[in-house]
Amino acid sequence: MSSAEPLFEARDLVKLYEVRRGVFGASAGKVRAVDGVSLAVARGETLGLVGESGSGKSTTGRLILRLEKPTAGQMRFDGEDWSALSGGRLRAKRRDIQMVFQDPQSSLHPLLKVGDQVAEPLRVQRITRGRAVAERVAALLADVGLSPAAADRYPAELSGGQRQRVAIARALATGPKLLVCDEPVSALDVSVAGQILNLLADLRERRGMAAVFIAHDLAVVARVADRIAVFYCGRIVEEGPAADVVARPLHPYTVALLAAATASSSSGSPRGLVLAGEPPSRVAPPSGCAFHPRCPIARPRCAVDTPPLEERPGGHAAACFYAGELRPVAAGGPPV
């Protein structure tokens, strides 16, 4: 990453949720959905966040957007204290950071025409008025590969891929500097998902945007990201250049994600590490390294001490005392 100030930076983000049970809603503890996450996104860069469901990656995305308020930690966006902005200044700054949600069928209003939904951020942010609104909507639809005639259609008249293109057009309407994409292709067929990934990559390059791309599939993230941060139990356990993370994963959890991604892309069985069990309870997580109950190379120290995220040469970091000991398998071979 460049030595210049990043477009977005978060330090020690924490997000706690109260868990309540029983008729009277008695407190049953707190879930640490995000537990001390620090990350940065350079201008024009795509950072991929990957991990299983419940790993904290989507919550981190919502914190970045300030759709949720962090329990602790600081954020800076485009040279300003993003955590402290409020009122009119926050509303104005929101045009620079937008989101593409997972399911366009839910994120688009079923009773509003496509053109009205794409035009809404233009009107809310007072970017364009009058006849220029329709012209701008047509241009945005063209940018995402849709005919201007789509503006007069309702979401139900479009395919899943077309609806996601509409959602992307709406997110682009304000000319954002940072686009947060939360599982934007997980609800789509494989062939359509590939088209949307290519579209997002092309738009990012043409517009010079930065992006945070969130997904559970490491192969999908590696296809679009410059850097990857791997999440487990609310923490980043590995981070580095996308090519290095895929070719030389350091954390055993990343090795397992890579095996699963390889199996998914080849429609076969995963070679190498297959994780047993489920992610740990977030109300009462295990001591030490949260991954140690599922880790094939765990040792007594792992159940006691929490490994820090330590950077190695080349900007590749891992939170594992025995990083790099477990390697991906070669085709047809045993784990290295």
Side-chain angles (χ1 to χ4, degrees):
M1 185 187 297
S2 168
S3 60
E5 181 181 27
L7 175 65
F8 177 87
E9 185 174 20
R11 293 288 181 188
D12 303 318
L13 284 184
V14 174
K15 181 61 180 178
L16 304 179
Y17 292 105
E18 191 84 27
V19 177
R20 298 188 179 276
R21 293 175 182 165
V23 176
F24 299 103
S27 177
K30 293 183 178 180
V31 171
R32 298 183 74 88
V34 176
D35 190 8
V37 166
S38 296
L39 53 82
V41 185
R43 297 176 188 275
E45 177 186 53
T46 295
L47 172 65
L49 310 185
V50 64
E52 293 172 287
S53 296
S55 63
K57 59 189 188 300
S58 290
T59 302
T60 298
R62 295 178 70 84
L63 293 177
I64 291 172
L65 286 151
R66 285 198 54 181
L67 295 177
E68 303 227 20
K69 184 178 180 180
T71 305
Q74 297 82 41
M75 295 184 290
R76 290 188 62 80
F77 175 54
D78 200 20
E80 296 188 75
D81 186 346
W82 183 230
S83 305
L85 290 183
S86 61
R89 182 57 189 155
L90 173 61
R91 180 175 176 177
K93 195 66 178 174
R94 282 194 182 280
R95 71 173 61 184
D96 292 331
I97 180 168
Q98 293 291 313
M99 187 171 194
V100 177
F101 294 92
Q102 176 179 358
D103 183 5
Q105 189 165 348
S106 299
S107 64
L108 297 176
H109 196 298
L111 302 182
L112 294 179
K113 290 183 177 180
V114 162
D116 292 330
Q117 300 194 56
V118 175
E120 184 177 13
L122 298 173
R123 296 191 174 103
V124 169
Q125 291 286 349
R126 300 178 181 177
I127 295 171
T128 308
R129 296 183 180 183
R131 294 181 179 178
V133 171
E135 295 174 0
R136 180 64 181 145
V137 167
L140 286 164
L141 292 175
D143 265 358
V144 299
L146 292 175
S147 165
D152 290 323
R153 301 173 72 181
Y154 291 95
E157 300 178 89
L158 305 177
S159 68
Q162 289 172 328
R163 285 194 291 266
Q164 194 61 297
R165 289 174 187 267
V166 171
I168 294 170
R170 184 176 61 181
L172 296 176
T174 61
K177 298 177 181 179
L178 177 62
L179 192 66
V180 179
C181 304
D182 188 7
E183 299 273 12
V185 299
S186 64
L188 304 176
D189 292 338
V190 173
S191 60
V192 178
Q195 295 171 14
I196 296 298
L197 290 176
N198 290 339
L199 172 64
L200 288 168
D202 179 62
L203 288 168
R204 192 204 83 173
E205 184 174 348
R206 285 194 283 119
R207 289 171 170 259
M209 292 184 300
V212 173
F213 191 96
I214 303 167
H216 63 274
D217 189 329
L218 182 54
V220 170
V221 172
R223 181 170 169 179
V224 298
D226 299 303
R227 288 188 304 117
I228 293 175
V230 180
F231 277 67
Y232 189 80
C233 204
R235 296 182 176 181
I236 295 176
V237 297
E238 182 162 355
E239 182 179 3
D244 287 350
V245 170
V246 171
R248 293 174 291 278
L250 298 175
H251 199 283
Y253 179 60
T254 310
V255 175
L257 289 180
L258 185 60
T262 302
S264 176
S265 62
S266 62
S267 299
S269 299
R271 296 191 303 268
L273 176 60
V274 179
L275 292 180
E278 298 292 331
S281 166
R282 302 299 297 277
V283 178
S287 60
C289 174
F291 186 62
H292 86 263
R294 306 172 74 192
C295 181
I297 61 171
R299 297 168 198 175
R301 180 187 183 187
C302 303
V304 178
D305 300 324
T306 302
L309 186 66
E310 293 185 336
E311 187 170 328
R312 289 158 173 76
H316 196 167
C320 179
F321 295 123
Y322 309 104
E325 285 195 7
L326 186 69
R327 306 297 294 167
V329 299
V336 179

